[in-house]
Amino acid sequence: MSPRRNRQRGGGKPTDHSGGGRYGLEQTEEWRGEDWVVRQIGGGGAAKHYRCPGCDQEIPPGVPHVVTWPQGGDVDDRRHWHKACWNARDRRSARLQRSRNAPRY
């Protein structure tokens, strides 16, 4: 009995014509009158801790999320969001939440 083949016959690696690349698919969305590049990151591509600007919570390694930056921006403009936070970005604000015991002034 011969061993099981894990690769397709026919040689080389499959070609990816989707424009994805290593980290995921990119698309452009408009937000606040500006075009933003949005890239989906899978759990395997998430290797560091990030802070989500939508909920101000940490995104641990291995958690799928999205990376966004203004079109025409550079590396320093990238922000890592939870998928749900990015989808609800118009309902979320960037203000900090105060604790229950904090004064209101």
Side-chain angles (χ1 to χ4, degrees):
M1 180 180 227
S2 63
R4 189 175 96 192
R5 293 181 190 261
N6 291 330
R7 289 180 276 179
Q8 294 179 355
R9 295 181 190 188
K13 296 179 181 176
T15 57
D16 182 30
H17 297 291
S18 62
R22 179 178 175 189
Y23 294 109
L25 296 174
E26 287 184 9
Q27 59 188 16
T28 304
E29 296 182 20
E30 186 178 347
W31 182 44
R32 294 184 179 171
E34 194 173 357
D35 286 335
W36 288 74
V37 179
V38 180
R39 181 184 290 165
Q40 304 284 332
I41 304 294
K48 295 180 4 184
H49 290 271
Y50 299 103
R51 174 99 24 209
C52 175
C55 64
D56 199 38
Q57 298 295 313
E58 189 175 272
I59 302 173
V63 174
H65 60 281
V66 296
V67 179
T68 64
W69 64 92
Q71 193 167 15
D74 60 354
V75 176
D76 294 332
D77 296 332
R78 291 186 300 187
R79 297 292 175 257
H80 296 255
W81 294 69
H82 293 105
K83 288 181 182 181
C85 294
W86 175 252
N87 292 335
R89 63 191 176 272
D90 291 328
R91 297 187 304 269
R92 295 182 184 266
S93 65
R95 64 180 180 222
L96 295 174
Q97 300 291 322
R98 62 177 181 264
S99 68
R100 291 183 176 191
N101 296 331
R104 294 191 170 258
Y105 53 91

